[in-house]
Amino acid sequence: MFTRILSYHQVMPSYLDFVAVFGVHDHIREPRFSGFRDQTLLAQSTKLRVDCLGRSGRQFQLCWNVKSPSKWSEEGTLQPGPDKWSIRQGAFHHQFDVEHGTTLWIITKPGLDIKDRIQDVTGKSGNEEDRKFTTPQECFKSTFAIHLLIGHWATEKWRQYFQWLEDKIEDETFLLVYGARGPGKDGQIYSSSNLQKAQEIDEQTSEATMALQGNADVLTSLRDFYQALSQNDDFPLGRSCRSDVGAFLRQMESFVYDSKMQIARGKLLGKIVAARKAIILQHLASQATEKMEGLTVSMQRDSLTLRIIGTMTFLYLPGTFVSTLREFEIELNKYTRTAVCGRTFVLLERFQRWLRSDATRINHTHLSLQLYAAYKDRVEPGLPIPEHIFEPGAGCCLLIFCILQTIGCGRLIHAFVEENKKDSQLPLSPEEVASILGPYNGSHMASAFAEQQDRFCPAKFELQMLSNWSSKNPVVPIYSKTPINEGGTAHLWLIDVPEEFVGEGLRKESASSRFNANAGKEAAPDWRYEFALKTFTSDDHKVFDNEKKAFEILKGHKGMVKYLGWFKSVECKHATNDRSMVMTSSQEHRITCNILLEFADMDLSVYFQNRLPPALSKEFEEFWKALFAIADAVKDIHNFKDNRDKEFNG
């Protein structure tokens, strides 16, 4: 039926967009949609003229929606509690034939209050001018009464709605601002539920402000449409109805002004709610400190020893923010490792997982506590940056914040965010850091940042990597390095690398090399990967290039250790496996060329010594197949061709 009505009256299709928001929804998001559409056909045309239906073909159509708050009881439902308000919207369609004066209104809205008001305006009790439909001029003037009625409905109850929100936040946080607080005073105890309620009020205020802004824009568009219509030369009623149009425009201006005043009130309320939320967070932190102090006092009553410990703890107990920063240092040291070169690196996945985990003290993550501790001296409520920029992804800035927090400058993370710096861009050049921190007199901070950032962006081992790390000189996260063999031109090492610094492709290719370094211990698993590393000094470039080329050609052959890639790096010329030896600028450095290989835990002679000989026919078959594979590999090594189909010589 609804489709037939719209088709018969040739209603513009845009109206369906406004009607589509009504219906059953899991979450009400109607206040977030606003719009205004118009269609004007005033030129003389015989194509659209249908005289038998009173249609001249010269008409204009409008459709729009506005929102207004109302109590639940006014919506025809049971009222679950005192002063329960919600924001409801109405969708309106209007078309007018400028020759015949034919008028059509279609209104979609929950409840019958608009219908009752229209009947009052156009009924016997209404103004006589609003009930005259003899001429097109009278019909056109009567439409303004309906427009003004809708404008009144869209602006009339926002004052009561904001008063309701103001009362809610006042009831929730009155004692927060004006209540007694301090030693010997019983103040209100706050929990995460108080913060949750304040957040709910904050969101309701934001939605109301958005709805009012939408109303103001729609009413402005409606005013502009009729102003342009009255000046259109093709509109035959423009001159005769000019004074009525002018009065209507002035009424619409007052509606827009009222909406803007309520928008300003909503923005002010939003700032008040944000400030109250910040105070709740501070009270939660203060309560946590008070609990710690109470625990200290109770320990003093137990024994003389505990009283002494409690007294010393009370005297030297740092403030909440100081203890939060100290906790950051402790956890960072917990997840910091020393590579064989003597430089340190951080287990980034584990440290970031701790930062994003919930703190046990209050219902906040450790990252949130670190941010508030970094901005403890900020006067304005809240943080200057959104916390979503620290979520995993391409735009994450968490490691940059950690570096700044390490050097005591976490409060400057917003400067890096404003310059669109991300973790994926690490390491940053000293010039970039100095440029960002320049306005903060940060020359010494820039050098400290450069010193600390290396351990937060160590190198990563990838399958078939072709990496020259000698220029940027990242930390190579090799946790241990054991000599296997030493030749005239190269050294062969057994190395192990933490799992998080091994790429996905290399993990799949070297699945058998994965091992738990904490196996048999009462500790969390420490997964690593074993590899063989063949190292050449910078003087052996030709030998390295030949061997690398040979491995790249032979990497598809079976029966030999897998070639996994190569890299160049900088290391101390006298580096050892002693991780206490730190590489310094005074030491002599050299560039090493390295080939990464699969680690074979035994050669053929060791295999024969440790394994029983085959006894069954199937064991014999498998043994000789494996042995022939080794023989084929030896043949391939001594007789293969390069990419130009020439016999390799190297």
Side-chain angles (χ1 to χ4, degrees), residues 350 479-482 494-500 502 507 510-521 524-531 599:
R350 303 185 197 179
Y479 194 68
S480 70
K481 190 174 181 182
T482 306
L494 167 63
I495 65 172
D496 65 80
V497 181
E499 184 176 45
E500 67 174 272
V502 179
R507 292 183 190 184
S510 308
S512 61
S513 299
R514 184 173 184 254
F515 72 100
N516 179 15
N518 286 338
K521 302 178 183 178
D526 182 11
W527 294 105
R528 304 180 192 175
Y529 281 79
E530 287 183 324
F531 301 105
F599 173 65

Side-chain angles (χ1 to χ4, degrees), residues 187-207:
Q188 182 178 347
I189 302 299
Y190 291 91
S191 65
S192 58
S193 63
N194 299 104
L195 185 62
Q196 185 178 12
K197 291 177 182 178
Q199 178 65 29
E200 179 186 4
I201 298 172
D202 192 7
E203 293 180 2
Q204 289 174 328
T205 303
S206 299
E207 286 198 348

Side-chain angles (χ1 to χ4, degrees), residues 186-413:
D186 295 330
Q188 182 178 347
I189 302 299
Y190 291 91
S191 65
S192 58
S193 63
N194 299 104
L195 185 62
Q196 185 178 12
K197 291 177 182 178
Q199 178 65 29
E200 179 186 4
I201 298 172
D202 192 7
E203 293 180 2
Q204 289 174 328
T205 303
S206 299
E207 286 198 348
T209 306
M210 179 183 292
L212 271 167
Q213 185 63 56
N215 283 1
D217 294 341
V218 168
L219 294 175
T220 301
S221 299
L222 188 62
R223 179 204 62 191
D224 294 343
F225 172 81
Y226 275 100
Q227 187 173 11
L229 181 67
S230 65
Q231 299 170 359
N232 193 327
D233 295 336
D234 292 330
F235 182 55
L237 309 178
R239 180 173 298 178
S240 59
C241 300
R242 182 171 299 171
S243 62
D244 298 278
V245 172
F248 171 73
L249 295 179
R250 288 190 293 272
Q251 287 285 341
M252 296 304 294
E253 278 288 349
S254 68
F255 292 150
V256 173
Y257 178 78
D258 289 344
S259 297
K260 290 182 178 179
M261 291 297 293
Q262 295 300 330
I263 289 172
R265 182 178 182 180
K267 290 181 178 179
L268 176 60
L269 178 58
K271 292 181 180 179
I272 292 174
V273 174
R276 299 289 173 89
K277 285 166 56 181
I279 297 176
I280 290 176
L281 284 173
Q282 293 177 2
H283 275 274
L284 291 174
S286 175
Q287 288 172 186
T289 304
E290 290 174 1
K291 289 181 180 179
M292 294 173 64
E293 292 176 352
L295 179 61
T296 303
V297 172
S298 64
M299 290 174 61
Q300 289 177 336
R301 300 190 185 102
D302 292 340
S303 66
L304 178 61
T305 304
L306 291 180
R307 283 199 299 270
I308 295 173
I309 295 175
T311 302
M312 297 301 294
T313 304
F314 180 78
L315 290 174
Y316 296 100
L317 182 67
T320 302
F321 293 133
V322 177
S323 62
T324 299
L325 296 175
R326 178 58 182 162
E327 186 180 21
F328 177 87
E329 296 177 3
I330 293 172
E331 292 297 326
L332 180 60
N333 291 333
K334 177 181 176 182
Y335 295 113
T336 299
R337 301 290 185 269
T338 304
V340 292
C341 63
R343 301 168 70 189
T344 60
F345 62 93
V346 179
L347 298 176
L348 302 177
E349 291 181 1
R350 303 185 197 179
F351 187 56
Q352 292 181 91
R353 193 181 305 126
W354 172 79
L355 283 170
R356 295 188 176 105
S357 64
D358 290 335
T360 56
R361 295 181 286 180
I362 54 177
N363 190 21
H364 282 276
T365 63
H366 291 97
L367 175 60
S368 296
L369 297 179
Q370 294 299 324
L371 286 169
Y372 279 103
Y375 285 98
K376 62 181 182 301
D377 298 327
R378 177 177 167 83
V379 178
E380 296 83 359
L383 298 170
I385 50 173
E387 290 193 44
H388 68 77
I389 64 172
F390 301 109
E391 296 176 358
C396 183
C397 301
L398 181 55
L399 295 183
I400 296 178
F401 173 71
C402 291
I403 298 170
L404 290 170
Q405 194 78 327
T406 303
I407 64 176
C409 300
R411 65 189 182 281
L412 299 180
I413 179 61

Side-chain angles (χ1 to χ4, degrees), residues 420-431:
N420 200 27
K421 296 302 179 183
K422 307 176 181 65
D423 292 346
S424 57
Q425 299 170 344
L426 290 174
L428 301 177
S429 67
E431 294 77 17

